Amino acid sequence: MNSLRDGVRRITGALPPWAFAAAAVVVVLVIPFTSPPRLVQLTIIFGINALLAQSINVLTGYAGQISLGQAAIYGTGAYGTAVMSVQYDWPLWASVPAGIVMAIIVGALVSIPAGRVHEFYLAMVTLGLGILAFTIFRQWGEVTGGFSGLGNIPSPPLGSLTVFGYTLGLVSYFYVTVVLVVVVTWLLANILKSHVGRSFVALQESELAASTLGVNPARRKRLAYVLSAALAGIAGVTYAHVVGFVSPDAFSVNASIAILVFAVLGGMRTLAGPFLGAALLTYLPDQLQAFSEWQHLIYGLILLFSFIVLPRGLAGLFPYRTSLIHHRVDRRRDEKAEPAEVQPAEQSRDGAAAAGVAEGDVLLEVRDVVMNFSGVRALDGVSISVRKGSIHGLIGPNGSGKTTLLNVVSGVYKPTSGQVSFGGVRADGRKPHQVATLGIGRTFQHPLVFDELTVRENVVVGAERLFRSRLVQLLFGTRAAVREERRMVRSAEAAIERVGLEELREALAGGLPFGRQRLLELARSLAGEPLLLMLDEPAAGLAEDDLVELASLLQTLRDGGMTVLLIEHHMDFLLRLVETVTVLDQGEVIFDGTPAAARSDERVLEAYLGASAAATGV
């Protein structure tokens, strides 16, 4: 099976990606001239199904949010335009936007519990939405037509679909649908290949890491639901006006499962996959009408075959990866011909306060911080001051509270008591993405890279807090948005070169060795241009040559004005770099001073070597 799949990939890989898209467009455009009306209408349904598959692709494939109620949003769009057209006699130009807006509102409402529940529980919430919507469609008879459905919707088969005095026939509606699908896909591609799309994937891979880089999890998830709902709403209004009739059965829970299957079978987290899955499951049933009693069995066998042979869906037959950096950003241009309209991003108001701290003054101040976990005191009145432009060491035995302190500073934990100030601004009690906007970056004790993103895509995510382009600019790929993206990508590439990973920039992060993942995390933090960089054991897993390069880099960063808070067990490495070292033991500060004094301090020796060894000078 693998050899067959690899053989197909070699064949498809011999052609450029645009060749398949061009062939598909040609086939679609000639259908009205070569096919009966039934096939023309079926191809419109294919376009609708492709939009539905893309709606799940955005929500589940990219953002990692499970939905078993997508048909509810699809049905809201369809019933919305149908009710406005039939019951209230609204014109098409008003009823269609109304249906889409209704779908978006439902999607936004569903996103509220999505911020509180995850995985299985989220699936149950969306399933409940699907059942609720289906019940409303069936029972609200005076509005929706109830069990019998709602007919006489303006449509080409009825000859009643009129736009500004022009009546659309089936062929005209076909081409409108083609243009609609192409434009919507283009807009969607612009979003997914921007920092928004990368943040969707980053949240799915590691919400903790993404949030400490400045990604707002709740806001991004809401946006994913709204984008998904907009796609489903567009599909709904298109469906209502091509068939001229809507009924509850078209939007049942089974329909939600079918929409999910379109995307899974085609291939998640690709732009082409939803089209492939929708094509197979739109045209195949039409050819299997004689076996209608066995359709579900056939679908099950197809899915089973896909999961075993094509775990990445039909898109896995093509050796192409959907990059999350737009090709316009990579396009080589004469930089002198482009005015530098996009300047380095301004700091937030609180971040500007930290940036204004003078060299040598206290930048980070932790005062009397206590952190309890179910009766266990991980930090007990910890106080520490880190001065701007310094490398400050934080050491201690395993379990002494070092990483816990970093988690408190970065907003992962809210301290039981005490306070954290950054540049004179209170930082404790803020969420991780809010702390990141102050200008605090960090790495983790165990690297949290985004496995399914390339090295370069990972590092560009690190610049999340610096992006200023609005959603509308990203949708339409304005010059300002592209220039900002290009500047961030160039900054990311510079960070990659600084850590020596330039030859691996297009490699997937999940396949990197442990030491390279550590360097990737460092580069990702540097891309965010932090004022304070907190490193949790960055030397672990590095070869001796890499340690020398890392030490040189940290000194360069310090000389450039960056402040570093460094946790490290490699004592020789750390003590050569730092000006001040703080030692923790059992959640308490036992020493704060110079590296030279730390080497001879009895409490430090006792913490590391034990009381008897310290007493004998071992």
Side-chain angles (χ1 to χ4, degrees):
M1 290 294 184
N2 289 337
S3 59
L4 175 62
R5 180 184 60 203
D6 294 340
V8 174
R9 287 171 61 89
R10 282 194 296 271
I11 294 172
T12 56
L15 297 173
W18 61 263
F20 298 99
V25 170
V26 170
V27 170
V28 168
L29 291 179
V30 301
I31 282 178
F33 303 102
T34 60
S35 307
R38 182 183 61 81
L39 187 56
V40 173
Q41 187 175 39
L42 188 64
T43 303
I44 295 174
I45 299 298
F46 155 64
I48 293 168
N49 288 340
L51 290 177
L52 290 171
Q54 290 288 16
S55 74
I56 281 291
N57 188 32
V58 170
L59 189 60
T60 304
Y62 282 87
Q65 302 299 294
I66 301 172
S67 176
L68 296 179
Q70 201 71 356
I73 301 174
Y74 172 42
T76 299
Y79 269 104
T81 188
V83 169
M84 294 298 104
S85 298
V86 176
Q87 305 284 36
Y88 297 97
D89 201 28
W90 281 22
L92 188 69
W93 60 265
S95 67
V96 165
I100 296 172
V101 169
M102 291 179 194
I104 290 174
I105 291 173
V106 172
L109 291 175
V110 176
S111 72
I112 296 174
R116 296 176 171 83
V117 295
H118 303 277
E119 298 175 351
F120 171 79
Y121 301 100
L122 179 58
M124 292 301 99
V125 168
T126 57
L127 179 61
L129 167 70
I131 295 172
L132 176 62
F134 180 67
T135 303
I136 292 173
F137 296 153
R138 285 200 309 175
Q139 300 298 330
W140 202 6
E142 61 269 23
V143 175
T144 65
F147 288 88
S148 300
L150 190 62
N152 296 319
I153 303 170
S155 63
L158 299 177
S160 56
L161 188 62
T162 303
V163 184
F164 301 117
Y166 178 77
T167 301
L168 293 177
L170 185 61
V171 173
S172 298
Y173 196 83
F174 173 89
Y175 285 117
V176 168
T177 303
V178 170
V179 171
L180 177 67
V181 171
V182 170
V183 170
V184 168
T185 303
W186 172 68
L187 295 173
L188 180 63
N190 286 339
I191 282 289
L192 296 179
K193 292 174 178 287
S194 72
H195 73 97
V196 171
R198 291 188 294 271
S199 67
F200 284 159
V201 178
L203 283 172
Q204 182 178 357
E205 297 274 337
S206 173
E207 186 169 319
L208 173 59
S211 62
T212 59
L213 295 171
V215 179
N216 185 331
R219 182 178 297 176
R220 279 291 184 266
K221 289 176 184 179
R222 284 196 298 270
L223 179 57
Y225 273 94
V226 167
L227 289 175
S228 176
L231 290 167
I234 293 170
V237 299
T238 308
Y239 172 80
H241 288 290
V242 72
V243 299
F245 174 82
V246 292
S247 68
D249 290 340
F251 312 108
S252 65
V253 173
N254 285 340
S256 292
I257 295 173
I259 294 169
L260 184 61
V261 170
F262 290 156
V264 172
L265 180 60
M268 292 281 207
R269 209 183 288 176
T270 67
L271 288 172
F275 286 95
L276 297 173
L280 181 64
L281 295 182
T282 299
Y283 293 107
L284 183 63
D286 185 66
Q287 300 300 314
L288 296 177
Q289 290 183 6
F291 306 95
S292 58
E293 295 181 0
W294 303 92
Q295 278 189 13
H296 289 93
L297 175 61
I298 295 172
Y299 293 163
L301 292 174
I302 291 174
L303 273 179
L304 185 61
F305 178 82
S306 173
F307 288 145
I308 295 174
V309 180
L310 300 171
R312 292 185 177 270
L314 295 174
L317 290 173
F318 300 85
Y320 310 116
R321 178 183 178 273
T322 301
S323 173
L324 295 182
I325 296 177
H326 204 288
H327 68 90
R328 290 175 62 190
V329 173
D330 278 335
R331 190 177 298 163
R332 299 299 177 187
R333 294 184 176 182
D334 183 1
E335 294 185 22
K336 294 182 180 179
E338 281 191 0
E341 295 181 5
V342 180
Q343 300 298 327
E346 297 180 358
Q347 299 284 347
S348 64
R349 183 178 63 181
D350 291 341
V357 174
E359 190 85 8
D361 287 348
V362 174
L363 178 65
L364 173 69
E365 187 165 21
V366 178
R367 280 288 168 262
D368 302 320
V369 164
V370 173
M371 188 72 233
N372 293 331
F373 295 103
S374 302
V376 176
R377 180 156 292 189
L379 297 176
D380 189 4
V382 170
S383 295
I384 178 175
S385 297
V386 179
R387 298 189 177 276
K388 186 174 182 180
S390 68
I391 301 180
H392 191 116
L394 182 61
I395 64 175
N398 289 331
S400 60
K402 304 183 298 297
T403 297
T404 300
L405 180 58
L406 258 62
N407 286 336
V408 168
V409 173
S410 59
V412 176
Y413 298 151
K414 182 178 180 180
T416 306
S417 64
Q419 70 178 52
V420 177
S421 298
F422 184 68
V425 176
R426 286 288 293 271
D428 55 285
R430 297 179 185 238
K431 295 181 179 179
H433 69 272
Q434 296 170 326
V435 173
T437 61
L438 296 178
I440 298 177
R442 68 165 297 180
T443 64
F444 293 86
Q445 186 175 13
H446 302 287
L448 294 181
V449 300
F450 310 126
D451 290 348
E452 294 299 316
L453 297 185
T454 65
V455 167
R456 187 167 62 144
E457 290 166 350
N458 261 272
V459 177
V460 180
V461 174
E464 173 68 25
R465 79 179 189 94
L466 304 178
F467 280 95
R468 294 294 181 267
S469 294
R470 298 183 180 276
L471 182 63
V472 172
Q473 293 176 299
L474 297 176
L475 272 171
F476 292 95
T478 64
R479 293 186 67 184
V482 171
R483 284 174 177 165
E484 180 182 58
E485 179 88 356
R486 184 177 292 123
R487 187 182 71 83
M488 298 302 178
V489 169
R490 287 171 180 165
S491 176
E493 290 175 341
I496 291 171
E497 291 178 5
R498 295 183 85 170
V499 301
L501 294 180
E502 57 270 22
E503 294 184 0
L504 298 171
R505 68 179 199 146
E506 297 304 328
L508 291 180
L512 297 180
F514 182 82
R516 292 292 178 261
Q517 289 187 349
R518 283 212 172 278
L519 294 176
L520 169 56
E521 256 200 333
L522 175 56
R524 191 176 65 188
S525 295
L526 293 178
E529 302 176 10
L531 302 172
L532 170 66
L533 179 61
M534 302 191 300
L535 304 177
D536 198 344
E537 300 185 28
L542 298 186
E544 194 62 36
D545 290 344
D546 293 329
L547 286 176
V548 174
E549 293 293 331
L550 177 59
S552 176
L553 174 59
L554 294 181
Q555 289 170 335
T556 301
L557 294 174
R558 178 196 58 196
D559 295 342
M562 187 177 293
T563 307
V564 179
L565 179 58
L566 178 63
I567 293 178
E568 189 53 67
H569 284 295
H570 196 308
M571 288 297 103
D572 290 338
F573 172 81
L574 180 138
L575 295 177
R576 285 199 305 265
L577 288 172
V578 302
E579 294 92 25
T580 306
V581 62
T582 300
V583 184
L584 295 181
D585 186 31
Q586 298 182 7
E588 297 181 354
V589 175
I590 61 170
F591 177 85
D592 187 76
T594 65
R599 293 178 186 272
S600 58
D601 187 270
E602 291 185 3
R603 291 169 300 174
V604 175
L605 294 175
E606 181 179 340
Y608 273 96
L609 303 176
S612 59
T616 58
V618 177

